[in-house]
Amino acid sequence: MRNITLRQMRVFAAVARYRSFTKAARELHLTQPAISQQIKLLEIEVGLPLLEHVGRQIHLTAAGDELLRYASQVTELLREAGESLAAMRGLKRGVLKLGAVSTAKYFAPSLLSAFSPAYPEVTIRFSVGNREEIIQQLAANETDLVIMGRPPRELITIAEPFAKHPLVVIASPTHPLAGKRRIPLERLGSENFIIREEGSGTRASMEHVFSKRGVPIRALMEVSSNETIKQAVMAGMGIGFISIHTVGLELAAGKLVLLNVTGLPLIRDWFVIHMRDKRLSPIAVAFRSFLLEKGAAIIHKTAEESRSILRAAGG
């Protein structure tokens, strides 16, 4: 494979990404015959077919799947090299690939908004998913950094806490337990809960604290978003266990209340995480340092501003 070129690897990666010669040609500003020729030369060099056509669909062969892993690594290393050299020249440009669990989407835009002015030429690629999806992105090197509430045990990472993450029980203001003081956790064993789906970090924290106290969880409904939990709780369908960072406006507006449960809130941490062997780009290093230095204050300020705006509007 000594004669493989970077151009061939870029062409192959584009075709593999789009499963289309036409779209790859458009992205790389090449003709379709040129794309076909580069793939043909690459297959000759590899000695195995990389693509197969089934009807009008393009699929990767086993060899194609294997080569794509290395092509992606080559592309990523070139990106990192470019950003490192740019940093040495004093340039503030590059791409920041950030992933976050869905609960963090309520404050992550404020973090990015505070960070971006110092790096106007940086492109930010921000993805949101549940815990399992973000772990998969991290393992596949699709993100530089991720924000989540519990470091993954299945990966070798560096995880650094940067802000507190309180988890609380919410209810409708008309719920019989609303306004009660020092509610035993055991009392919640008879309540209907609206809970997050399997794979959610919030659900894992809830199951841990309830099982530790021997309290059963009566799940009336399992949902895939915090928004659905809030709407269902406001409608009086049950109560919810949720991050306090997701309910600031609803609490200020009186649409939801916190239940005063003994032993809660459950205080966890928000972590900024990257793979231990990942060589962070200068931009990723800068954002990581920014989170560790200023992240907690920005999250707190964002929550306070939301409540102030609501009060000023008469909410």
Side-chain angles (χ1 to χ4, degrees):
M1 295 180 60
R2 296 178 181 176
N3 297 320
I4 287 179
T5 67
L6 288 175
R7 186 183 192 189
Q8 290 168 355
M9 294 290 267
R10 287 195 182 102
V11 167
F12 171 66
V15 172
R17 182 166 60 254
Y18 291 115
R19 298 296 197 270
S20 167
F21 280 54
T22 302
K23 292 180 180 179
R26 189 179 302 128
E27 178 185 292
L28 300 174
H29 305 289
L30 295 172
T31 65
Q32 205 166 323
I35 294 288
S36 299
Q37 178 66 13
Q38 292 298 319
I39 293 296
K40 183 178 179 180
L41 292 173
L42 186 57
E43 288 181 327
I44 291 173
E45 185 64 29
V46 171
L48 292 166
L50 302 173
L51 305 172
E52 58 184 356
H53 297 263
V54 180
R56 302 180 66 179
Q57 297 292 317
I58 294 176
H59 299 273
L60 293 180
T61 64
D65 269 325
E66 185 69 9
L67 184 62
L68 181 60
R69 289 198 307 113
Y70 293 101
S72 299
Q73 291 176 24
V74 168
T75 301
E76 182 65 14
L77 284 171
L78 286 173
R79 179 183 75 85
E80 292 175 3
E83 292 182 6
S84 294
L85 293 172
M88 293 176 68
R89 296 194 300 270
L91 303 177
K92 295 181 178 181
R93 63 181 62 173
V95 177
L96 172 63
K97 297 187 293 183
L98 177 67
V101 293
S102 55
T103 300
K105 72 181 181 182
Y106 293 89
F107 60 78
S110 296
L111 296 172
L112 292 170
S113 177
F115 174 76
S116 295
Y119 300 88
E121 296 184 67
V122 169
T123 299
I124 297 173
R125 296 177 183 166
F126 179 48
S127 61
V128 176
N130 68 22
R131 177 180 171 81
E132 289 183 352
E133 291 168 340
I134 294 303
I135 290 174
Q136 288 174 6
Q137 291 180 19
L138 188 63
N141 199 32
E142 295 173 358
T143 57
D144 297 320
L145 301 166
V146 301
I147 295 173
M148 62 170 50
R150 206 161 40 91
R153 295 180 178 179
E154 58 268 50
L155 300 178
I156 303 176
T157 64
I158 293 177
E160 298 167 287
F162 70 92
K164 293 300 178 185
H165 181 201
L167 295 161
V168 297
V169 176
I170 56 171
S172 163
T174 61
H175 192 280
L177 293 178
K180 301 288 185 181
R181 303 290 299 173
R182 301 187 64 78
I183 303 166
L185 186 69
E186 290 73 17
R187 170 66 179 79
L188 302 185
S190 60
E191 295 293 323
N192 290 325
F193 272 90
I194 316 299
I195 66 173
R196 284 292 301 270
E197 79 286 6
E198 285 283 356
S200 160
T202 301
R203 175 166 171 169
S205 293
M206 177 187 184
E207 290 175 339
H208 174 75
V209 71
F210 275 64
S211 65
K212 187 176 180 180
R213 299 272 290 274
V215 181
I217 299 172
R218 290 177 55 181
L220 175 69
M221 186 165 61
E222 180 179 304
V223 300
S224 60
S225 75
N226 294 311
E227 290 303 317
T228 306
I229 288 179
K230 292 189 290 184
Q231 292 298 323
V233 171
M234 283 189 279
M237 294 181 66
I239 61 179
F241 187 89
I242 202 166
S243 167
I244 200 168
H245 292 134
T246 69
V247 292
L249 290 176
E250 291 82 4
L251 292 174
K255 295 180 179 179
L256 291 171
V257 296
L258 299 183
L259 294 187
N260 186 266
V261 179
T262 302
L264 295 180
L266 177 66
I267 304 298
R268 292 290 188 254
D269 288 306
W270 285 114
F271 291 85
V272 56
I273 300 171
H274 63 89
M275 295 296 290
R276 189 181 68 181
D277 294 334
K278 171 78 171 176
R279 184 174 179 179
L280 294 178
S281 68
I283 297 304
V285 170
F287 186 69
R288 170 182 157 275
S289 299
F290 170 82
L291 285 185
L292 295 175
E293 181 181 349
K294 301 179 179 179
I298 291 172
I299 292 173
H300 179 74
K301 181 181 178 183
T302 300
E304 288 298 316
E305 287 178 348
S306 296
R307 288 191 282 269
S308 296
I309 291 171
L310 193 62
R311 285 195 294 267

